[in-house]
Amino acid sequence: MTEVPTHRAQLDCEVAIVGGGPAGLMAAQRLAQAGVRVHLFDAMPSVGRKFLLAGKGGLNLTHSEPADAFAGRFGARQTQIEPMLEGFGADQVKAWAAALGIETFVGTSGRVFPVGMKAAPLLRAWLVQLRGLGVQFHTRHRWLGWDEAGALRFATRAGEVPAGETLVRARALVLALGGASWPQLGSDGAWAPWLQARGVQLAPLQPANCGFDVLNVAPGSAETRREFLRELVGLEAAPARGWTPHFQQRFAGQPLKSVGLSFTDSQGQAFARRGEFVVTETGIEGSLVYAASQWLRDAIAAQGHATLHLDLLPEHDAQRVDAEVRHPRGSRSLSSHLKSRLGIDGVKMGLLHEVLGRDGVNDPQALAAAIKALPLTLVAARPVAEAISTAGGVAFEALDSKGMLQAIPGVFCAGEMLDWEAPTGGYLLTACLASGVQVADGVRQFLGEAVKG
Ligand SMILES: Cc1cc2nc3c(=O)[nH]c(=O)nc-3n(C[C@H](O)[C@H](O)[C@H](O)COP(=O)(O)OP(=O)(O)OC[C@H]3O[C@@H](n4cnc5c(N)ncnc54)[C@H](O)[C@@H]3O)c2cc1C
């Protein structure tokens, strides 16, 4: 049975902000502090849900590295993000948290966290501040685009039940709708076609800081892999993905700690870093994989696959590994030999078997080489819904220098819905907050000019 909206309401406001994530809340704060009357709408029953989820990982608010290195994390979008960070960078993020009663500290990696490593106290204090400043919250209001007369359409809910539709007219509008990752928390990317229909240039939404599916080549001898890769380019059907059932059952969910990951793309750009990641049901994910994910994703998009190399023993040089592998093992099994001479066991040993197959692990030269550079071929990024963040979105070319859409004067965009991406490390939240500050300035300027005009 279709549920019919029970009523239509109307609301006129000075500034409407749609999206109560960090970008929208920061825009609301800045505008309200300047005396602007703000109405903030969000589809969910409460705001800041992804911010709260980020708190589960300790809430990495920002990073302590020098400003130019920080801005460099935004890659091709450094030029557009850097001016925002000059207005509101790492120091301002720390000061903002402190003003809400939350002190921060710099972790060993240079990342900055709130002392309690939780998002809830910060969000609570922030919402108290915003309500005190007069920001009016309208939760359970899902924006549906514009009606023919240019009013904003919101589907409203009373609890879990559709309640009707509210039409909102605003002198200025801030869209801070987030990307398309973790849609269950509110950001689903549904806005993309509505903006496109109004002439706004968008880059396709894609997963960023994401996991990958591996190519399934069983049995995994090096020659099978090479043959398979030669054929892959010409394959019409998608290549088989995932681990062998044996490997998946034994090792899915297990972490690989202190490994090196290297990857060189077709342009010769090289990524090499140490860290850790996790074996999943169908591939790999986790911080080290996320760090390389932009290059891996783009290589898969261009060539259908990307082969990275894992150094399973980054503390040991190749000569030492070779010598230990070849060391006479008497009656001991290969597994106990590798465990006692090199400390390789568990998931690392499983990976060697998975990729090299029985023949490969019994060939000392191939085995020693693979321990230092194990090839792992990836064939698909995991869907954006599972990713930490979203690449793509509203193109900067569609915006003026204050984040206003050239195609729709008076409408501003902020946060992760813009076409930028960055690794994890506090860069995402910082840029979202900074763009909230930027659009708030833009809205004030726009309203001021409207008054003058
Ligand atoms: C597991 C996880 C951990 C993370 N950890 C960190 C971290 O430690 N550090 C870091 O820097 N970043 C982290 N991030 C990323 C960070 O949380 C996001 O980049 C940030 O929340 C984006 O802010 P935003 O305001 O642009 O969008 P969002 O936070 O996504 O907020 C958008 C809001 O818009 C609302 N909305 C969307 N569509 C509609 C609509 N049609 N109508 C009404 N409302 C709508 C949503 O309900 C939502 O409340 C993490 C992300 C994930 C998934």
Side-chain angles (χ1 to χ4, degrees):
M1 193 179 78
T2 5
E3 289 167 293
V4 182
T6 51
H7 75 277
R8 276 171 95 87
Q10 299 225 7
L11 176 72
D12 282 313
C13 54
E14 191 172 17
V15 175
I17 296 177
V18 191
L25 293 174
M26 182 50 85
Q29 178 187 329
R30 287 300 179 116
L31 285 164
Q33 281 171 331
V36 178
R37 287 189 307 280
V38 175
H39 287 256
L40 190 143
F41 301 84
D42 200 289
M44 301 302 282
S46 59
V47 297
R49 293 197 166 200
K50 196 175 279 181
F51 186 70
L52 287 175
L53 178 71
K56 294 216 163 133
L59 194 68
N60 182 193
L61 280 173
T62 190
H63 203 286
S64 61
E65 68 191 359
D68 51 347
F70 194 113
R73 304 290 175 180
F74 296 87
R77 290 308 193 180
Q78 177 172 357
T79 325
Q80 288 88 1
I81 302 284
E82 204 160 16
M84 295 185 200
L85 297 173
E86 281 162 11
F88 199 89
D91 289 344
Q92 286 76 13
V93 171
K94 288 186 269 178
W96 161 77
L100 290 169
I102 307 291
E103 291 304 326
T104 52
F105 73 97
V106 181
T108 42
S109 57
R111 296 173 181 222
V112 176
F113 300 90
V115 166
M117 297 195 79
K118 288 197 165 53
L122 186 54
L123 182 63
R124 250 194 322 268
W126 201 7
L127 295 180
V128 167
Q129 182 199 37
L130 294 176
R131 290 202 177 92
L133 287 166
V135 175
Q136 304 231 9
F137 287 89
H138 306 266
T139 51
R140 293 192 165 98
H141 277 63
R142 177 168 292 282
W143 183 53
L144 301 175
W146 290 269
D147 73 2
E148 316 74 55
L152 303 167
R153 292 178 53 214
F154 287 93
T156 57
R157 299 182 82 80
E160 292 312 308
V161 184
E165 192 167 302
T166 299
L167 293 179
V168 176
R169 295 190 167 280
R171 288 174 58 209
L173 168 67
V174 174
L175 296 175
L177 301 163
S181 82
W182 290 70
Q184 63 275 35
L185 301 179
S187 315
D188 58 7
W191 47 267
W194 305 328
L195 291 186
Q196 224 156 11
R198 295 205 54 184
V200 176
Q201 190 190 331
L202 300 181
L205 301 181
Q206 296 190 72
N209 295 302
C210 56
F212 292 88
D213 289 340
V214 293
L215 170 68
N216 183 304
V217 191
S221 78
E223 191 42 47
T224 322
R225 174 171 296 276
R226 269 193 294 277
E227 269 168 32
F228 205 93
L229 287 178
R230 269 196 294 273
E231 284 169 20
L232 195 57
V233 182
L235 277 182
E236 282 183 16
R241 300 178 190 185
W243 307 109
T244 58
H246 171 76
F247 182 83
Q248 185 204 56
Q249 277 153 23
R250 283 204 61 193
F251 299 113
Q254 296 222 7
L256 272 130
K257 296 197 172 174
S258 303
V259 290
L261 187 161
S262 57
F263 175 69
T264 305
D265 71 12
S266 58
Q267 262 83 59
Q269 283 200 88
F271 172 96
R273 197 171 299 174
R274 279 190 204 183
E276 53 186 72
F277 67 88
V278 178
V279 167
T280 63
E281 295 281 318
T282 54
I284 53 174
E285 69 176 21
S287 56
L288 184 59
V289 175
Y290 299 158
S293 61
Q294 182 178 349
W295 292 275
L296 296 169
R297 180 199 66 209
D298 291 350
I300 294 170
Q303 288 128 34
H305 60 93
T307 298
L308 55 80
H309 288 88
L310 292 177
D311 183 347
L312 299 178
L313 290 178
E315 308 293 342
H316 294 28
D317 65 28
Q319 263 178 329
R320 157 105 193 267
V321 170
D322 194 65
E324 297 293 2
V325 167
R326 289 173 193 277
H327 194 273
R329 63 177 157 104
S331 59
R332 272 196 312 196
S333 70
L334 179 64
S335 298
S336 46
H337 177 71
L338 289 183
K339 187 173 178 188
S340 65
R341 307 290 316 180
L342 288 165
I344 286 189
D345 61 354
V347 62
K348 287 186 178 173
M349 193 64 213
L351 258 184
L352 288 166
H353 275 288
E354 177 80 359
V355 175
L356 296 180
R358 187 192 295 260
D359 294 348
V361 289
N362 284 313
D363 169 349
Q365 195 183 348
L367 178 61
I371 289 171
K372 290 300 288 174
L374 183 74
L376 207 55
T377 300
L378 310 176
V379 283
R382 293 298 302 164
V384 64
E386 294 174 17
I388 296 289
S389 58
T390 306
V394 176
F396 280 92
E397 292 70 21
L399 301 167
D400 73 5
S401 64
K402 290 290 185 192
M404 185 170 81
L405 291 171
Q406 321 255 19
I408 326 177
V411 179
F412 295 74
C413 295
E416 207 182 297
M417 69 182 293
L418 303 180
D419 177 22
W420 55 271
E421 65 180 306
T424 59
Y427 308 105
L428 300 164
L429 282 174
T430 303
C432 288
L433 294 167
S435 80
V437 169
Q438 186 198 47
V439 293
D441 286 351
V443 167
R444 286 176 58 203
Q445 199 176 318
F446 175 79
L447 294 176
E449 279 167 13
V451 169
K452 272 190 255 151

